[in-house]
């Protein structure tokens, strides 16, 4: 059974930093694409950062460029989101998503979410 577990959320003051982790278990294949999404109250879920393992390509939402960094420890199917210079508008539930591929098949799995609150 594939399971993704996020950790690292919490309450932080504006300008502070947090590091989110996503640990994937139950899949022997290396994760193909790792993504962080977030959803604020009353808003749609949005892509925050994405990393493709085969070529290292990254993609960031404009609102977090230069402040957030996605990285991975491929050997453990674990990935991270380093969030610096946090702003109140970064407050949301953050979800990790992992995609695995094998030939023409692909599988997507989600974590349960972790709350990030930026407030003074």
């Amino acid at each position: 059974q594939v399971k993704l577990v996020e950790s690292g959320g919490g309450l932080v003051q504006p300008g502070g930093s947090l590091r989110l982790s996503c640990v994937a278990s139950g899949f022997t294949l290396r994760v193909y694409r790792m993504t962080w999404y977030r959803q604020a109250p009353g808003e749609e879920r949005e892509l925050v950062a994405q990393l493709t393992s085969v070529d290292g390509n990254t993609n960031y939402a404009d609102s977090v460029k230069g402040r957030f960094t996605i990285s991975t420890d491929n050997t453990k199917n674990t990935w991270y989101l380093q969030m610096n210079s946090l702003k109140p508008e970064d407050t949301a539930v953050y979800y990790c998503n992992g995609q695995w591929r094998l030939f023409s098949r692909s599988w997507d799995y989600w974590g349960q979410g972790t709350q990030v609150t930026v407030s003074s």
Side-chain angles (χ1 to χ4, degrees):
Q1 181 179 358
V2 178
K3 189 175 182 181
L4 274 61
V5 179
E6 300 108 335
S7 61
L11 173 64
V12 64
Q13 292 187 342
S17 298
L18 284 174
R19 188 193 196 206
L20 306 183
S21 299
C22 180
V23 179
S25 60
F27 223 124
T28 56
L29 291 173
R30 188 177 75 169
V31 60
Y32 173 79
R33 180 168 289 149
M34 298 149 276
T35 310
W36 288 97
Y37 290 84
R38 68 185 180 187
Q39 188 167 20
E43 303 289 334
E44 292 189 355
R45 191 172 296 190
E46 64 170 346
L47 186 149
V48 176
Q50 188 172 75
L51 170 63
T52 304
S53 61
V54 293
D55 56 14
N57 280 346
T58 57
N59 181 37
Y60 293 93
D62 288 342
S63 59
V64 307
K65 283 180 181 176
R67 300 189 298 122
F68 290 12
T69 303
I70 186 170
S71 61
T72 183
D73 179 353
N74 264 340
T75 60
K76 297 181 180 180
N77 266 355
T78 301
W79 55 101
Y80 310 95
L81 185 67
Q82 178 66 44
M83 306 186 293
N84 300 328
S85 303
L86 283 160
K87 305 175 181 180
E89 51 263 43
D90 295 317
T91 296
V93 178
Y94 285 70
Y95 299 89
C96 66
N97 169 273
Q99 184 182 85
W100 284 259
R101 292 186 181 183
L102 181 62
F103 302 115
S104 61
R105 298 187 66 185
S106 66
W107 301 264
D108 273 87
Y109 294 94
W110 291 85
Q112 81 287 353
T114 185
Q115 176 70 45
V116 171
T117 302
V118 184
S119 175
S120 55

